[in-house]
Amino acid sequence: MVAVREPTTVRRDARLRPVRPAGWWFDALLLAGLVAITVALANRHLFGVDRAVADWAEAHRPPVAYGVAVVFNYLGQGLPLTLLTAGLGLLLAVRLHSVRPLLPTVVAFALTYVTIGPAKVWTARPAPSASVKEPYLPPEQTLPLFQDDLPLKYAQSYPSGHVANAILWYGVLALLLAPLLRSYGRSMSPRLVTVVRVVPPVVVMFTTTYLGWHWLTDSVAGLLLGLLLDRILHRMPWNDLPLPGRLRKWDGPFVPHVG
């Protein structure tokens, strides 16, 4: 009697997913821009631009505009965004019987944990508002980086975590929403994907600078770092990442294969 071997499913080799603009040159440009701004600030350049923008915002910040900006700035809160993406990922995991929709949230959290937080601690820069509330620094002392003599909670302005978080987490939301809607027989237009990914970060970048919670260069640095992390996230071959044996029963794809 000849034994019949059960057919096996061979997962194709994991390949990085395409991003736009294609290639690594844009990643290198983002990293170079981030390094250039950091070096410039370390050498006390760009302070005039930061001060001019902060002074203009303070002079054009009536109570109503302040309140509206505060509300919209919540779009960049990292913890609620993390919980929201985790919830959507869990819902999609149940609907598709696949653990893979949970992976983007895990990877995004890891990326923010090893980049944004350490960068803030290392650069040790106060916010513009540090001159009008604790620790009540002289205005000129709120601008420089590397103020390690200040308590940590007063020197975590650079780069803007709100802006970087908004870019990364809304990118995850867009990644999850499209397959989630497909699981309900609906579709998400590319234009709506763009709106989800672009509008909240732009709003957060404007409001966090307008409120005096970050210098303009903090927000620009957060933008560059966020875009760099977002490109790393969207390159991940989510359908083909190897999983432990216990999870292979929950191993279905959740994003369209490319190529």
Side-chain angles (χ1 to χ4, degrees), residues 38-161:
T38 306
V39 171
L41 291 172
N43 287 280
R44 297 179 174 264
H45 299 304
L46 303 177
F47 286 2
V49 175
D50 276 339
R51 174 54 64 190
V53 172
D55 289 346
W56 181 93
E58 185 177 4
H60 297 81
R61 198 187 296 141
V64 173
Y66 178 87
V68 171
V70 168
V71 171
F72 278 102
N73 192 254
Y74 280 109
L75 290 171
Q77 289 287 340
L79 179 58
L81 288 172
T82 304
L83 295 176
L84 177 59
T85 56
L88 289 179
L90 180 59
L91 176 59
L92 185 58
V94 172
R95 289 191 61 80
L96 299 182
H97 201 72
S98 171
V99 74
R100 293 187 180 277
L102 297 173
L103 298 180
T105 299
V106 174
V107 173
F109 180 81
L111 286 175
T112 60
Y113 187 81
V114 300
T115 57
I116 299 174
K120 286 176 171 291
V121 174
W122 175 60
T123 54
R125 189 188 201 190
S129 57
S131 63
V132 296
K133 62 182 183 181
E134 288 189 284
Y136 297 105
L137 301 174
E140 65 275 8
Q141 192 182 339
T142 59
L143 285 158
L145 274 62
F146 307 124
Q147 298 196 48
D148 299 317
D149 54 325
L150 290 175
L152 182 60
K153 64 179 180 178
Y154 298 132
Q156 296 191 58
S157 186
Y158 182 90
S160 170

Side-chain angles (χ1 to χ4, degrees), residues 16-40:
L16 295 180
R17 295 175 60 83
V19 293
R20 292 185 298 175
W24 294 94
W25 66 270
F26 193 69
D27 303 71
L29 188 63
L30 292 170
L31 181 59
L34 180 60
V35 171
I37 292 176
T38 306
V39 171

Side-chain angles (χ1 to χ4, degrees), residues 20 174 178 187-200:
R20 292 185 298 175
S187 62
M188 187 174 182
S189 69
R191 181 173 298 180
L192 183 56
V193 172
T194 301
V195 169
V196 171
R197 295 189 63 182
V198 173
V199 173

Side-chain angles (χ1 to χ4, degrees), residues 239-256:
N239 293 343
D240 303 312
L241 293 176
L243 295 177
R246 293 182 180 180
L247 297 178
R248 286 174 187 165
K249 293 182 179 180
W250 288 64
D251 195 21
F254 82 99
V255 292

Side-chain angles (χ1 to χ4, degrees), residues 8-19:
T8 58
T9 301
V10 178
R11 184 176 297 278
R12 63 182 184 176
D13 293 337
R15 292 184 297 170
L16 295 180
R17 295 175 60 83
V19 293

